[in-house]
Amino acid sequence: MEHSYIEEISAHEGHEVIIKGWIFNRRSSGKIHFLMIRDGTGIIQGVVSATDISQELFDTVSTIGRESSVIVQGVIKADKRAPGGYELLIKDISIINSSQPYPITKKEHGIDFLMERRHLWLRSSKQHANLRIRRSVINAAHDLFNKRGFTLFNAPILMPTACEGTTNLFETDYFEKNKAYLSQSGQLYAEAGAMAFGKVYTLGPTFRAEKSKTRRHLTEFWMLEPEVAYADLDNIICLAEDMIKAIITTVLLDRQTELKTLERDTEKLKAANSQFARISYKDAVKIVQETNSSFIYGEDFGALDETVLSNRFSTPLVIHRYPKKIKPFYMKTDPEDNELVLCVDILAPDGYGEIIGGSQREDDYNILTDNIKQHNLDQASLEWYIDLRRYGSVPHSGFGLGIERLVAWICGVKHVRETIPFPRLLERLWP
Ligand code: 4AD
Ligand code: MG
């Protein structure tokens, strides 16, 4: 007999299959038990009738606890009323492990209680849905870059220097003599990759020792960073827009069940999937100042300002050309206004904040080394990076997408901590 995953159950209608999973829920009424069985790919209702199995087994099932692991055998029947559209008429059931009383119950639990038990909470429907959507988001991005001929170019995590400023670096000893830092971004290495392969992307964990306790900040998050030789700011904005749209399209196509579980308003995702709104930093400041009169031109936007801005539009919002003063050393100075840099932030709708940060890179040797001095960075440790401006420097651009922030918006979950299996936060390194 064939083992089937619940996700593929429709192919087995009318046939007998084996399902290997866990008891999600049990209800009994007289001579019938209804078992909700999950196997990681879906949930199916199994019906156990006293007439189909031995009395002893029927009695055992009547006390079976949540999350007990089971292997069941039965016939798949289409049933419109059943969640998922199919039911399993169970003929045999073996209990692999009878679970101890499961700590996560149907009642409301506080967030701390759940985060302490993240290793178990992952089994709950909403957490499960978030992470399945995360997987589709990453797959859709890989697909797009693959189709467009990008080389996957994994950047290192142990770094000799900072990329995004020195204030939020995690430092560690590197054997006897040296220090290493956990990567804040793979960008500098991706730039070397772009000069070798033309177009590359890196995807991996990145780290920020940020003392921020907000719903958008993790200390360890995943960033996807494409980098393209001969691309200018406009080219890279178009790439970012295409990528987000491809991701939304894939999720809408493949993850309807999960979006329903999360009660996500999919009309909002569809509305976001059209030509992105684009404004300059200067115009964004005007919008912000309408509601926040203390905002001064030249500052970076705070979370509330970003919410005001994104609420104006139904698509993600592209904001370009910020003041040079508030941006990192590697961004290219705007040839039309040397107080600005050729950079872009993309804000998700509904107040989810910045999901993408990117720029055209400074490709001029003299300006770059000048920027390094201005930012008080150690030029010696960046010599390899400066080499990219000595040997065949070309205009090039790239961006970084924060996977968890994008997933949070797509799922409609408030806090990024639910969009990664084991979140690392200012006050949490457990489990
Ligand atoms: O804007 P950021 O800092 O840009 C960079 O690191 C560039 N070097 C990327 C590049 O051009 N290749 O970070 C990029 C994105 C942000 O827009 C945000 O989505 C996410 O990374 N991000 C975080 N996500 C969760 N927690 C944090 N603490 C984050 N910090 C940044
Ligand atoms: Mg940024």
Side-chain angles (χ1 to χ4, degrees):
M1 195 170 316
E2 237 185 297
H3 166 220
S4 173
Y5 283 102
I6 294 169
E7 191 170 48
E8 299 150 5
I9 217 73
S10 60
H12 299 276
E13 193 191 333
H15 296 279
E16 204 165 323
V17 296
I18 288 173
I19 288 175
K20 303 178 179 183
W22 296 262
I23 301 291
F24 194 62
N25 213 347
R26 177 181 51 79
R27 224 162 24 89
S28 299
S29 79
K31 294 275 158 208
I32 296 183
H33 299 307
F34 297 98
L35 303 179
M36 297 303 285
I37 300 162
R38 61 166 196 90
D39 73 349
T41 72
I43 294 182
I44 191 166
Q45 173 164 287
V47 182
V48 187
S49 168
T51 53
D52 288 347
I53 59 171
S54 72
Q55 187 61 43
E56 192 192 342
L57 193 53
F58 190 84
D59 292 343
T60 311
V61 173
S62 63
T63 59
I64 195 170
R66 276 193 67 197
E67 290 304 321
S68 292
S69 41
V70 293
I71 296 181
V72 296
Q73 190 178 319
V75 177
I76 299 296
K77 202 186 91 188
D79 186 338
K80 287 224 166 62
R81 293 161 306 169
Y86 294 90
E87 220 174 43
L88 180 71
L89 305 177
I90 294 177
K91 296 199 163 163
D92 197 13
I93 175 164
S94 19
I95 298 167
I96 306 305
N97 175 254
S98 182
S99 176
Q100 295 185 25
Y102 194 60
I104 301 177
T105 60
K106 286 220 150 157
K107 71 165 203 224
E108 286 274 318
H109 294 290
I111 187 67
D112 287 336
F113 180 93
L114 292 167
M115 290 296 276
E116 281 298 293
R117 292 160 186 80
R118 181 65 176 164
H119 50 293
L120 301 176
W121 190 27
L122 293 169
R123 304 178 188 190
S124 303
S125 322
K126 287 193 176 169
Q127 298 311 308
H128 185 260
N130 290 338
L131 295 181
R132 295 259 280 185
I133 288 173
R134 176 190 172 99
R135 178 212 145 171
S136 290
V137 164
I138 291 174
N139 272 3
H142 278 306
D143 279 352
L144 179 87
F145 289 121
N146 203 24
K147 261 189 225 137
R148 295 197 178 188
F150 281 65
T151 299
L152 176 60
F153 182 84
N154 298 117
I157 286 171
L158 290 170
M159 305 261 280
T161 49
C163 176
E164 296 296 311
T166 48
T167 51
N168 58 14
L169 275 175
F170 278 112
E171 187 183 288
T172 174
D173 289 332
Y174 198 69
F175 304 112
E176 285 81 24
K177 291 207 181 92
N178 288 308
K179 293 275 178 215
Y181 307 95
L182 297 186
S183 176
Q184 301 160 304
S185 160
Q187 178 196 324
L188 304 187
Y189 295 92
E191 286 186 52
M195 297 306 129
F197 298 90
K199 32 189 179 174
V200 297
Y201 70 108
T202 172
L203 170 64
T206 43
F207 305 83
R208 307 267 168 108
E210 264 168 320
K211 298 231 161 89
S212 310
K213 221 180 134 182
T214 78
R215 61 194 186 91
R216 301 169 182 182
H217 286 91
L218 295 162
T219 55
E220 174 177 337
F221 61 99
W222 281 63
M223 195 168 6
L224 187 144
E225 298 176 271
E227 192 71 33
V228 185
Y230 291 104
D232 63 14
L233 178 64
D234 193 56
N235 298 145
I236 212 74
I237 293 176
C238 291
L239 178 66
E241 181 167 344
D242 289 352
M243 180 194 69
I244 294 178
K245 285 178 180 167
I247 290 171
I248 297 174
T249 304
T250 300
V251 172
L252 284 172
L253 217 64
D254 296 349
R255 294 287 167 231
Q256 278 301 325
T257 309
E258 286 79 4
L259 291 167
K260 220 169 266 156
T261 300
L262 296 168
E263 298 166 51
R264 181 66 168 118
D265 179 357
T266 50
E267 289 311 312
K268 285 203 160 177
L269 295 178
K270 285 179 200 154
N273 208 1
S274 55
Q275 172 99 55
F276 289 5
R278 281 195 197 193
I279 57 175
S280 64
Y281 169 85
K282 278 185 184 149
D283 289 336
V285 168
K286 287 180 197 147
I287 296 176
V288 168
Q289 285 175 336
E290 287 170 20
T291 48
N292 175 5
S293 54
S294 64
F295 187 90
I296 299 164
Y297 181 96
E299 291 175 355
D300 209 351
F301 302 120
L304 286 177
D305 304 321
E306 286 184 353
T307 304
V308 167
L309 285 164
S310 67
N311 281 346
R312 284 274 175 114
F313 306 91
S314 54
T315 65
L317 173 61
V318 173
I319 306 177
H320 53 85
R321 294 177 173 79
Y322 283 64
K324 187 170 180 162
K325 274 206 194 102
I326 53 170
K327 290 292 182 185
F329 76 97
Y330 53 72
M331 291 187 175
K332 187 169 179 62
T333 305
D334 184 350
E336 288 176 10
D337 180 346
N338 64 16
E339 299 286 306
L340 302 178
V341 280
L342 296 176
C343 73
V344 60
D345 274 7
I346 301 185
L347 312 187
D350 311 322
Y352 278 87
E354 179 198 325
I355 48 175
I356 281 182
S359 74
Q360 189 164 333
R361 317 307 188 188
E362 187 51 74
D363 51 306
D364 181 271
Y365 173 88
N366 291 317
I367 302 176
L368 182 70
T369 46
D370 213 47
N371 287 351
I372 289 172
K373 282 192 200 93
Q374 300 283 331
H375 282 82
N376 288 319
L377 298 171
D378 172 34
Q379 177 160 341
S381 61
L382 283 167
E383 279 302 330
W384 71 268
Y385 177 72
I386 299 167
D387 265 356
L388 304 174
R389 278 70 179 168
R390 291 189 179 102
Y391 306 109
S393 186
V394 299
H396 62 290
S397 305
F399 64 80
L401 163 75
I403 295 288
E404 292 76 18
R405 291 200 190 162
L406 178 63
V407 173
W409 167 62
I410 289 179
C411 292
V413 300
K414 269 238 137 82
H415 200 299
V416 288
R417 67 189 163 210
E418 294 184 31
T419 64
I420 186 166
F422 292 96
R424 297 293 175 242
L425 300 158
L426 181 57
E427 286 165 357
R428 181 165 293 282
L429 193 58
W430 174 272

